[in-house]
Amino acid sequence: MSEQTKVTGIVLSVYPVGENDRRLTILTKERGKIQVFARGSRRPKHPLFGVTQPLIYCEFMVTDTRNYTYLNSAECKDYFYFLKKDLEDLYYSSYFAEVAEYFTMEGQDERNILNLLFVTFLAMKKKLISLSLIRRIYELKILQFAGFGLQSFQCVHCGNEEHLTRISFEEGGMLCSGCAVKGQGREVESAVLYVLQYVSSIPLNRLYSFTLKEIIDKEFEWIVKRYFAVQAGHRFKSAEMLECV
């Protein structure tokens, strides 16, 4: 007989199944990303209706069968209401969730990315820095956790830690002045390099604790946008909504 298991996590996405069911993708502390079916949860008066929505944090009681995992009950810990009051916040948070779903795997320890989502949502709530800067910091950090981090402290060719002047998006990191022959890569200002290094090394609880001068901010965001596009190799649906805000 199948036993119930408790998992805790954030609902990344929800899809309708049949007439009354839903399929949830949940990023959990215990089991990484999981797919869970919630039978009858699309009925407005069903006990699971309110806890099977995107972008909520819950303790879920699930049952594993041979083929599927089913949701039995859930206790919501945080609905993240502040993310849904403003359309721009909703678009950005949906994008962060979609990116997290893309870069996580079932059965793997994904607590770093789960914690990254938490601190990102908190930064959105505090509104101390722009959403566009939050996005680029998030993209750079999630690539690091997913194994595609930018090598910013040494040359990707020779390992030299000095005179890092250019970046190769395809090779995943910085090039020293000796290796960047014939204008290879894109030139990176020392101030921007410092920001790239800072984001890669700072603890999550301090990740969104800085602002940038406009000229540095624009260059940093351009570089991360390009690097993320090359390394991800995927077009996210929610990114199209961000182009409209």
Side-chain angles (χ1 to χ4, degrees):
M1 182 176 179
S2 300
E3 295 184 358
Q4 291 191 93
T5 303
K6 181 170 73 174
V7 295
T8 306
I10 296 176
V11 179
L12 299 179
S13 63
V14 177
Y15 294 96
V17 177
E19 293 184 3
N20 298 305
D21 304 340
R22 286 173 171 150
R23 175 173 59 84
L24 282 63
T25 301
I26 309 172
L27 186 58
T28 72
K29 294 179 181 179
E30 299 82 2
R31 294 164 55 177
K33 183 172 66 177
I34 62 173
Q35 305 288 332
V36 177
F37 287 89
R39 289 173 288 195
S41 60
R42 290 170 63 193
R43 299 191 185 101
K45 295 184 179 181
H46 194 278
L48 296 177
F49 180 82
V51 292
T52 53
Q53 307 292 333
L55 302 177
I56 63 172
Y57 173 56
C58 293
E59 287 185 349
F60 301 93
M61 296 301 298
V62 301
T63 298
D64 295 309
T65 66
R66 179 176 297 180
N67 298 316
Y68 302 108
T69 300
Y70 292 97
L71 178 62
N72 301 316
S73 62
E75 180 182 352
C76 186
K77 299 297 184 181
D78 198 332
Y79 282 100
F80 299 120
Y81 281 123
F82 60 91
L83 297 176
K84 299 152 189 174
K85 291 181 179 180
D86 180 86
L87 192 59
E88 188 175 23
D89 285 340
L90 180 59
Y91 285 171
Y92 270 93
S93 56
S94 298
Y95 172 72
F96 297 144
E98 184 183 357
V99 172
E101 183 172 352
Y102 179 77
F103 280 109
T104 50
M105 300 179 63
E106 297 185 31
Q108 300 296 315
D109 185 348
E110 303 289 4
R111 281 174 289 183
N112 281 333
I113 293 180
L114 180 62
N115 290 335
L116 176 61
L117 269 179
F118 271 109
V119 298
T120 302
F121 291 164
L122 181 60
M124 294 175 66
K125 183 178 183 180
K126 291 181 177 179
K127 297 185 181 299
L128 298 178
I129 62 177
S130 68
L131 288 172
S132 60
L133 180 56
I134 289 176
R135 174 185 180 179
R136 301 311 176 191
I137 295 172
Y138 176 87
E139 290 172 342
L140 192 60
K141 201 67 179 179
I142 201 169
L143 284 176
Q144 179 183 347
F145 288 149
F148 303 97
L150 176 71
Q151 186 169 312
S152 57
F153 286 93
Q154 60 185 33
C155 176
V156 293
H157 284 179
C158 69
N160 185 7
E161 297 179 358
E162 298 180 349
H163 309 297
L164 303 176
T165 57
R166 306 185 77 85
I167 182 173
S168 171
F169 300 107
E170 291 75 15
E171 295 179 83
M174 297 299 299
L175 299 169
C176 69
S177 55
C179 292
V181 295
K182 298 181 180 179
Q184 181 182 3
R186 177 186 173 92
E187 185 175 358
V188 178
E189 296 290 337
S190 58
V192 177
L193 174 60
Y194 175 80
V195 179
L196 294 170
Q197 294 173 336
Y198 182 86
V199 172
S200 69
S201 58
I202 197 71
L204 282 179
N205 62 351
R206 294 168 54 196
L207 185 61
Y208 299 106
S209 60
F210 64 91
T211 57
L212 300 173
K213 294 181 179 179
E214 184 177 358
I215 189 170
I216 298 174
D217 180 271
K218 288 184 177 180
E219 182 67 7
F220 170 74
E221 292 196 34
W222 190 95
I223 287 175
V224 176
K225 178 182 179 181
R226 174 63 178 164
Y227 182 70
F228 185 80
V230 170
Q231 295 298 320
H234 178 81
R235 181 160 181 81
F236 297 93
K237 293 182 179 179
S238 51
E240 299 174 7
M241 297 187 296
L242 294 180
E243 296 174 0
C244 301
V245 298

